[in-house]
Amino acid sequence: MDYQVVSVKQALSMPVGSAIEARGWARSRRDSKGITFIEINDGSRFKGLQLVVEAGAVPAETLEAVTTGSCIAARGQVTESPAAGQPVELKVEQIHVYGSADPAHYPLQKKGHTMEFLREIAHLRARSNTFGAVFRVRNALAFAVHQFFHERDFLYVHTPIITTSDAEGAGAMFHVSTLEPGQFPKTETGEPDWSQDFFEKAAYLTVSGQLEAEALALAFSKVYTFGPTFRAENSNTPRHLAEFWMIEPEMAFYDLKDNMQLAEDFLKYIIAYVMEHCEEDLAFFNQRIEPTVLQTLEHVANSSFEHITYTEAVNLLQKANRTWEFTPEWGCDLQTEHERYLSEELFKKPVIVTDYPKIIKAFYMRLNEDDRTVRAMDVLVPRVGEIIGGSQREERLDVLRARLVETGLPEEAYWWYLDLRRFGSAPHSGFGLGFERMMMYLTGMKNIRDVIPFPRTPGSAEF
Ligand code: ATP
Ligand code: MN
């Protein structure tokens, strides 16, 4: 007899009577009146395939090895299922056990586990309902990102992971070095002598691909990067990772308005894509993780984003009838409590805050006429706070040089970045979307450690 090898997803829509072989990991096993019910899942769908093994259908010692967590292949006939919530099940004729899992030691039993516990078994948690759904959504979201830009003629570019610009200002950086710890060559003044290191100067893991993306935008007009970035921030919050993925589009001839419009179109597009392609997984998040997920996503798709300036935002925060942990004050960066208040409580939708004081933003943001604010934009969303940070970039050579001096950065280190303003400069803009922040927004997961397969945070890089 020939059995067609199919995924669980395919098996669930096979016609009754098909002879198939399905493979996967046993999620549960139940014995009742001589019949054994086994649910297998291979990650292709949230829903698993129910196997029905009648007494004597397979050898007793084989069936015994089919424990929760074991990996098996099952062959048999697709039959109509009497159970609710599934059209078909598999009437089993043969089972092959690839690997059993000792019930005394397999840590992922059917009962609910806490997120904290599951983080300690990150090598196994992808086999749970929650993390299966999270990583399928992650896959769909990444694909949606590429499709959005591809449809709009953006060039996908790769910017370096190792960088020697030491002060992009986005966050603390990790050193990259081949020098032996404890044997650092020293300069005359006792500083580490990086000129003897691999790159002959200090090198770091990148915090952002923006500066290089700007160089490419000034050749290809519209580009985007989508890669890992690193920040050695010792912040230990539920919204910060030391290693996270960022999407950074950069566009020549875009001003801040164009940039804001692109950010809004982009968020709406990727949300719509995931809602269309991950219905089953999102339904799970809505039911078990965060009851407002679907409602907020639908709301975003159908509303236009609020636009306010930083100065207006500070006024609104000061007028708000509540006590803050950090008192809102012009010239201070908005804290998460402020960002969430604006988007979650006041406007109840995504809010784009623009024109921040220059003193709290990076040197490359375009200076406004008032000489106090820059053409920055942050997109704030309910539950998460800041999800996008971006700006129109300073394209005027003299202004950019003055800003470098003002912020105490070495002009020499930015020689090539300044060259872009010397040779064929153009107005341009861009932004960065934190991929994991977007994942939190889509899934309702409360901790950023639970939307990336193997999180890196202070004190933690086990897997
Ligand atoms: P925050 O104030 O939340 O730390 P930021 O101002 O440092 O953010 P940007 O430098 O503008 O953020 O980075 C662009 C985007 O990258 C942010 O809008 C956010 O979505 C994401 N992001 C920044 N830092 C982290 C981090 N440590 N972990 C995960 N995502 C991050
Ligand atoms: Mn930060």
Side-chain angles (χ1 to χ4, degrees):
M1 175 134 204
D2 272 349
Y3 297 93
Q4 189 188 347
V5 175
V6 294
S7 67
V8 166
K9 179 179 169 175
Q10 289 170 319
L12 288 168
S13 54
M14 295 293 280
V16 168
S18 312
I20 63 161
E21 173 177 330
R23 300 142 173 186
W25 289 264
R27 282 288 175 84
S28 61
R29 170 192 174 142
R30 180 166 59 86
D31 295 275
S32 160
K33 297 179 198 135
I35 304 180
T36 303
F37 299 94
I38 301 159
E39 192 191 321
I40 60 165
N41 189 295
D42 65 353
S44 57
R45 256 187 78 167
F46 186 86
K47 189 154 187 45
L49 177 65
Q50 165 109 303
L51 311 181
V52 181
V53 192
E54 284 173 4
V58 303
E61 65 269 26
T62 304
L63 199 53
E64 207 168 300
V66 184
T67 52
T68 298
S70 61
C71 183
I72 64 170
R75 291 173 163 184
Q77 308 288 326
V78 174
T79 56
E80 227 167 277
S81 176
Q86 57 189 27
V88 294
E89 56 191 27
L90 189 67
K91 187 163 181 292
V92 173
E93 289 156 4
Q94 297 172 26
I95 284 182
H96 173 74
V97 179
Y98 292 108
S100 193
D102 182 350
H105 296 106
Y106 183 62
L108 203 65
Q109 297 300 332
K110 183 86 181 150
K111 65 176 165 56
H113 296 294
T114 64
M115 294 296 164
E116 289 74 16
F117 173 76
L118 290 168
R119 242 170 259 152
E120 288 168 16
I121 51 162
H123 58 309
L124 297 171
R125 68 176 180 171
R127 299 188 202 170
S128 67
N129 278 339
T130 303
F131 289 92
V134 167
F135 301 138
R136 273 187 302 275
V137 168
R138 198 176 158 106
N139 166 68
L141 181 61
F143 194 82
V145 166
H146 287 299
Q147 188 162 294
F148 173 84
F149 290 117
H150 184 76
E151 283 176 3
R152 283 160 188 76
D153 290 330
F154 279 67
L155 202 76
Y156 174 34
V157 298
H158 298 100
T159 50
I161 305 285
I162 299 175
T163 174
T164 55
S165 2
D166 65 346
E168 289 167 23
M173 302 175 93
F174 290 100
H175 268 292
V176 175
S177 172
T178 52
L179 295 174
E180 284 299 318
Q183 298 176 1
F184 266 51
K186 295 271 168 63
T187 62
E188 278 162 20
T189 54
E191 307 284 310
D193 184 3
W194 299 113
S195 73
Q196 296 189 46
D197 202 353
F198 190 90
F199 297 105
E200 299 181 5
K201 51 163 100 172
Y204 308 85
L205 292 177
T206 188
V207 292
S208 155
Q210 181 201 316
L211 304 191
E212 289 90 353
E214 285 185 52
L216 297 166
L218 294 174
F220 296 104
S221 308
K222 293 191 287 187
V223 302
Y224 73 104
T225 70
F226 184 2
T229 51
F230 307 86
R231 298 192 184 177
E233 34 202 7
N234 210 344
S235 41
N236 249 319
T237 78
R239 290 167 305 100
H240 289 90
L241 290 166
E243 176 180 297
F244 66 101
W245 288 67
M246 189 144 64
I247 297 131
E248 296 179 276
E250 191 70 38
M251 299 75 62
F253 320 116
Y254 271 49
D255 64 12
L256 191 67
K257 261 211 179 69
D258 302 323
N259 204 19
M260 285 158 70
Q261 189 61 50
L262 185 76
E264 178 168 342
D265 293 346
F266 178 50
L267 289 179
K268 286 181 171 170
Y269 182 98
I270 57 182
I271 287 172
Y273 184 95
V274 172
M275 288 182 81
E276 188 187 331
H277 291 86
C278 301
E279 218 183 326
E280 194 179 30
D281 294 319
L282 289 182
F284 166 80
F285 292 121
N286 203 61
Q287 198 181 1
R288 299 290 295 277
I289 303 291
E290 168 60 54
T292 64
V293 161
L294 286 178
Q295 186 194 314
T296 37
L297 295 181
E298 270 154 27
H299 183 57
V300 169
N302 300 313
S303 59
S304 49
F305 293 11
E306 191 69 35
H307 295 177
I308 56 170
T309 65
Y310 168 87
T311 305
E312 287 164 351
V314 171
N315 286 336
L316 290 168
L317 293 167
Q318 286 172 341
K319 272 190 244 146
N321 185 21
R322 63 151 66 204
T323 44
W324 302 106
E325 195 185 333
F326 298 93
T327 312
E329 212 179 318
W330 203 97
C332 296
D333 208 357
L334 300 182
Q335 302 294 320
T336 303
E337 56 173 336
H338 307 141
E339 296 175 344
R340 290 187 59 172
Y341 169 78
L342 291 169
S343 60
E344 213 162 295
E345 292 179 46
L346 198 59
F347 295 109
K348 298 189 167 41
K349 60 177 174 176
V351 179
I352 310 186
V353 183
T354 60
D355 303 288
Y356 284 72
K358 65 175 179 181
I359 40 169
I360 56 170
K361 288 293 185 185
F363 71 95
Y364 51 71
M365 298 191 178
R366 196 179 195 281
L367 192 62
N368 279 321
E369 265 38 320
D370 63 11
D371 202 32
R372 299 169 72 212
T373 59
V374 289
R375 315 208 79 188
M377 62 169 215
D378 279 7
V379 181
L380 318 177
V381 296
R383 286 203 319 270
V384 175
E386 180 185 335
I387 198 162
I388 282 179
S391 68
Q392 183 170 339
R393 319 303 189 191
E394 185 56 74
E395 84 283 13
R396 299 163 296 184
L397 179 63
D398 52 332
V399 182
L400 187 60
R401 290 175 75 171
R403 289 284 290 141
L404 277 171
V405 172
E406 202 173 48
T407 45
L409 293 172
E411 229 188 283
E412 326 77 73
Y414 292 93
W415 68 271
W416 63 266
Y417 192 70
L418 291 166
D419 259 7
L420 299 171
R421 278 75 180 165
R422 280 192 191 99
F423 309 122
S425 189
H428 62 288
S429 299
F431 62 80
L433 168 74
F435 190 61
E436 286 77 16
R437 297 260 175 102
M438 189 64 204
M439 279 295 298
M440 292 174 76
Y441 191 55
L442 281 170
T443 60
M445 296 293 284
K446 310 272 176 314
N447 195 310
I448 199 163
R449 293 164 178 79
D450 300 328
V451 295
I452 187 167
F454 302 105
R456 270 90 183 89
T457 52
S460 166
E462 179 70 18
F463 300 94

